[in-house]
Amino acid sequence: MPELVPGEFAFHADRIEKEFEGWLEVHDTNRGWLDEVASSFGLTLPPPTQIHPIGLHSALRAIAVSLLSLAVVLDRDQISLDRAVERLIARRRPSHKKEIKDSMNLEQGLELGSRLRSGGFSDRIAFISSNTDDYATKTPSLQLHPDLQAEFAAISMEYFTSLRAACGALKLL
């Protein structure tokens, strides 16, 4: 994985877990409202399963931490860094908004993919980023942005917006 991913995970993980925990609490509360509405029409819903007490938010965080611990973090290489800076200067995706971090991630991914292909690797290569603002089209299908398609196609690298989508497409789930 690109070198910046562990730091980004550490920076955002607490907030994301808290937001998801809050969503679970709202889910449980909303289910109670459905019971009230149904009863006013003489309907009885099956007993609800309360999701929040199960601790799904913590379990998913633990899985993410475990996955991260298994990943190989790429060392910074000057070639990828130089290309990321070139993207920034030219304001090319994903640095079209004057940010370099996503270009660093992309360039490390492109470099790794290129080296794998040069070495005879023929399996599918997935690039995963939920950052659809910089990598995807604004269409509902969130396809790879046309500005990046040639670079991905050159090494047959595929873009996915989530690990779940990549695993599904790669038949890993």
Side-chain angles (χ1 to χ4, degrees):
M1 87 175 67
E3 68 174 298
L4 298 177
V5 172
E8 289 292 306
F9 177 85
F11 183 78
H12 295 288
D14 287 340
R15 177 186 53 81
I16 291 170
E17 182 182 359
K18 285 276 187 223
E19 287 174 6
F20 185 58
E21 180 181 16
W23 183 88
L24 293 172
E25 290 173 338
V26 169
H27 171 274
D28 289 347
T29 300
N30 288 344
R31 176 51 207 264
W33 296 340
L34 289 174
D35 289 333
E36 289 177 32
V37 170
S39 69
S40 61
F41 291 101
L43 300 173
T44 303
L45 298 177
T49 300
Q50 295 291 302
I51 303 298
H52 180 263
I54 295 171
L56 184 61
H57 57 286
S58 298
L60 291 175
R61 167 94 178 251
I63 290 169
V65 168
S66 177
L67 271 173
L68 197 61
S69 74
L70 296 172
V72 173
V73 178
L74 299 174
D75 291 330
R76 181 177 305 160
D77 67 289
Q78 195 60 48
I79 293 169
S80 295
L81 185 57
D82 289 347
R83 286 196 305 247
V85 170
E86 288 172 16
R87 280 182 187 278
L88 176 67
I89 292 168
R91 296 179 79 172
R92 286 184 14 242
R93 277 188 189 275
S95 288
H96 60 291
K97 296 177 186 172
K98 301 181 186 179
E99 297 284 334
I100 194 167
K101 291 190 299 186
D102 290 305
S103 286
M104 289 175 65
N105 289 338
L106 176 60
E107 289 299 342
Q108 282 188 303
L110 290 169
E111 182 65 22
L112 175 62
S114 179
R115 289 181 186 187
L116 287 169
R117 294 294 184 225
S118 295
F121 185 81
S122 61
D123 288 345
R124 294 168 75 182
I125 298 174
F127 182 88
I128 303 167
S129 176
S130 62
N131 177 356
T132 57
D133 289 339
D134 294 330
Y135 290 106
T137 60
K138 294 299 176 199
T139 63
S141 59
L142 296 173
Q143 299 297 313
L144 180 66
H145 195 280
D147 293 354
L148 299 170
Q149 287 176 354
E151 294 172 286
F152 277 64
I155 58 170
S156 299
M157 185 163 69
E158 300 172 63
Y159 169 68
F160 299 96
T161 60
S162 69
L163 179 59
R164 179 180 182 196
C167 289
L170 300 172
K171 309 283 189 264
L172 300 175
L173 289 178

